[in-house]
Structures are given as C-alpha cells and as structure tokens.
C-alpha cells in the first residue's frame, strides 16, 4: 500500500496533462485477392465484377467508360497528448498516426462494360475528381 | 478482499461504453432478388427499394445506389489511457439501367450483420467479403 499510494497520486495528477489512446477501425470487408486475380482485362465484364466482388463503394463516369471503386480499412492508430505548463503559458505536444485515406481497388471498364484494367492504391489517388455528368446529345435533334 | 476487488472493478467499468449507429434503413435481400435484369424497370426498382441514395449518370445509362450503413463501437477509458474499436459494415446495392430504364445489372453486398462490438485486440479475424451479382 505504501508503494501504491504515490503511484495512484501521480496517476491522478497526470490525468489532466497526459492522455493516450489506442484505436482500431474497420470499415467494410476486404475484397478477395483470388477473385480479383480472376478478373482478366479485355475478357471480364461488368457482370463478372459484380458477381465476384459485389457492390462497389463508388461508380464513377469516365470519358470512355466507367470506374468501380472497392475500398476497405482495417487500421489501428495511437495518439499521445501531453500538456506541460511553461511559466504563465502552456505547451502542448501531440502525435497521431491515423491515416484516413481509404485503400482499395478500382476497376476501369470501357463503354461496353469490359474490364480495361485494375489498379490498387488509395481511392483518393485513383479516382478522378468528381465532375458534372457528361453532356449527352440527342441524335435526333438537328442541333441548337 | 471482496471490497478491494469491487473498488478496482467500479472505476474500470465506469469507463466502458458501447454505441451503435446506422444510416438509412436495412435493405431486404428478397426485394433485391425480385429484380430481374432484362425485364425489371426503373419503376420496379423504386417500388421495391424506394428512392436511391445516389444516381450516377453513365452517358444515356445510369446506376443507382442503395446503402445501409451500420457502425458499432466499444471503448474503455482508464484515467490517462483510452482504447476504442469501431466497426462499420454495409448493405449496398448498385442497380445499372440502360437507355430505356430497364435493369441490366445488379451488384449487391450484405455485410451489415458482420459489424461487431469489439475492443482493440478482441475483434474476430476478418474474412474476404463475397459479393452477389445478377446480370442480364
């Protein structure tokens, strides 16, 4: 008890100036590598992609086709924050290892819904910026 | 001895929490299965699934997204240290329609039941998800 007393007192004192946390985040299910390997560019079609990988997170229109994005996250991060009084002011140190970019797979298909290529990486890097839908001209109209 | 144990447990348990949140309503697999590529129309899709959360224009075609998100959290805070586990899973359906608003492809994933309350280090091993596609 003699040893526990100072430890408890120190712990209570530190509670206001030192904080740490460890977190685990899981978002969606990992796509099967075996299923991805069976999708051959030039042969596989949209039907095969949906049957093997399920519903994508995003569907994005491209100039010459469509991109399907599959993403998942299974990460842990820890954070430590210490606040130290220095004279009349206080200094704060913190560290965070969290990376909120979601990794995943993007399947690029042409206008006939045939797979052109598959890219792995961070979805934010692989997907084009959101844009307005393309203008679709009516073939029966004679122009403006 | 029991009082000492209680004194230790009370502060430990007081820092526990579990939380559950969801976005949209659960999707019914039976309603999705009722859609038939090649015959079902946009009207059938809205009648069975309601309004989509997103419509993506693909030239003259389109793709509609339906999604239910379920998040479960469990956490523990011990004076100067905290730990938290978050698990977000989804039921998601994409319906692809052609120029005549006829369903051509359906891709679905029903994983919301996989979400679990788990502190870091206590979550179950993750398995690769398998999708379901129904296509014309």
């Amino acid at each position: 008890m003699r040893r526990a007393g100072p430890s408890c007192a120190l712990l209570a004192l530190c509670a206001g100036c030192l904080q740490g946390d460890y977190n685990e985040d899981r978002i969606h299910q990992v796509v099967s590598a075996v299923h991805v390997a069976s999708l051959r560019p030039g042969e596989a079609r949209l039907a095969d992609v949906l049957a093997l990988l399920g519903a994508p997170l995003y569907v994005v229109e491209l100039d010459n086709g469509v991109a399907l994005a599959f993403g998942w996250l299974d990460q842990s991060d820890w954070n430590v924050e210490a606040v130290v009084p220095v004279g009349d002011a206080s200094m704060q140190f913190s560290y965070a290892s969290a990376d909120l970019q979601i990794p995943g797979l993007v399947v690029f298909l042409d206008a006939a819904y045939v797979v052109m290529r598959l890219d792995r990486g961070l979805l934010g890097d692989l997907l084009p910026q959101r844009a307005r839908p393309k203008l679709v001209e009516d073939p029966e109209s004679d122009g403006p | 001895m029991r009082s000492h144990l209680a004194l230790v447990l009370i502060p430990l348990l007081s820092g526990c929490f579990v939380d559950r949140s969801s976005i949209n309503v659960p999707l019914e697999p039976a309603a999705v299965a009722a859609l038939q590529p090649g015959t079902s129309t946009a009207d059938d899709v809205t009648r069975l699934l309601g309004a989509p959360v997103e419509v993506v224009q693909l030239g003259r075609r389109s793709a509609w997204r339906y999604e239910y998100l379920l998040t479960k959290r469990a956490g523990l805070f011990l004076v100067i240290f905290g730990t938290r586990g978050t698990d977000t899973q989804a039921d998601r359906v994409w319906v692809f329609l052609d120029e005549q608003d006829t369903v051509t492809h359906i891709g679905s994933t029903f994983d919301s039941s996989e979400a679990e309350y788990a502190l870091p280090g206590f979550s179950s091993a993750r398995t690769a998800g398998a999708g379901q596609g129904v296509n014309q």
Side-chain angles (χ1 to χ4, degrees):
Chain A
M1 186 62 190
R2 286 181 182 174
R3 290 181 183 174
S7 299
C8 289
L10 185 63
L11 201 62
L13 287 173
C14 288
C17 60
L18 182 66
Q19 291 284 319
D21 59 78
Y22 177 77
N23 304 313
E24 280 185 2
D25 294 285
R26 304 198 320 174
I27 301 175
H28 308 312
Q29 298 285 326
V30 178
V31 169
S32 164
V34 175
H35 290 162
V36 174
S38 66
L39 294 171
R40 298 183 184 283
E43 297 177 12
R45 306 183 64 85
L46 173 63
D48 304 314
V49 178
L50 297 176
L52 289 170
L53 307 183
L57 279 183
Y58 307 109
V59 172
V60 180
E61 182 187 30
L62 305 174
D63 288 338
N64 57 346
V66 59
L68 308 186
F70 299 84
W72 58 88
L73 191 69
D74 196 350
Q75 73 168 19
S76 58
D77 63 88
W78 58 272
N79 308 282
V80 175
E81 185 174 289
V83 180
V84 180
V86 179
D88 294 333
S90 69
M91 295 177 66
Q92 183 170 330
F93 307 94
S94 65
Y95 174 81
S97 64
D99 183 359
L100 298 178
Q101 287 263 45
I102 295 183
L105 168 79
V106 178
V107 182
F108 293 89
L109 302 102
D110 63 16
Y113 288 158
V114 176
V115 174
M116 294 189 296
R117 70 176 201 275
L118 300 93
D119 290 346
R120 282 181 176 275
L122 299 175
L123 296 187
D125 296 337
L126 296 176
L127 288 173
Q129 296 288 325
R130 288 218 170 219
R132 288 177 180 274
K134 285 189 300 183
L135 176 66
V136 179
E137 296 179 3
D138 186 348
E140 295 178 358
S141 69
D142 296 329
Chain B
M1 184 62 187
R2 286 183 180 175
S3 61
H4 285 104
L5 186 62
L7 284 173
V8 171
L9 283 178
I10 287 171
L12 285 179
L13 295 177
S14 66
C16 290
F17 77 89
V18 291
D19 173 56
R20 180 183 189 278
S21 60
S22 62
I23 299 175
N24 300 328
V25 295
L27 299 175
E28 292 294 335
V32 178
L35 294 170
Q36 295 299 320
T39 55
S40 297
T41 64
D43 287 343
D44 298 325
V45 178
T46 52
R47 180 172 48 81
L48 288 165
L49 301 179
V53 295
E54 182 184 15
V55 174
V56 177
Q57 181 186 319
L58 304 171
R60 297 181 183 282
R61 300 172 290 190
S62 63
W64 296 8
R65 176 167 64 96
Y66 292 86
E67 189 170 68
Y68 166 66
L69 283 169
L70 178 62
T71 299
K72 292 182 177 179
R73 298 182 191 84
L76 174 66
F77 292 97
L78 300 173
V79 190
I80 63 169
F81 178 74
T83 185
R84 173 185 54 77
T86 303
D87 193 358
T88 300
Q89 300 299 330
D91 293 343
R92 189 181 310 107
V93 175
W94 277 97
V95 180
F96 290 79
L97 300 126
D98 64 12
E99 296 178 39
Q100 284 75 41
D101 280 345
T102 301
V103 174
T104 60
H105 301 78
I106 302 169
S108 60
T109 299
F110 294 95
D111 289 334
S112 66
S113 60
E114 302 288 325
E116 59 181 21
Y117 300 104
L119 288 171
F122 291 93
S123 56
S124 60
R126 179 172 246 185
T127 56
Q132 292 182 322
V134 181
N135 309 286
Q136 187 177 7

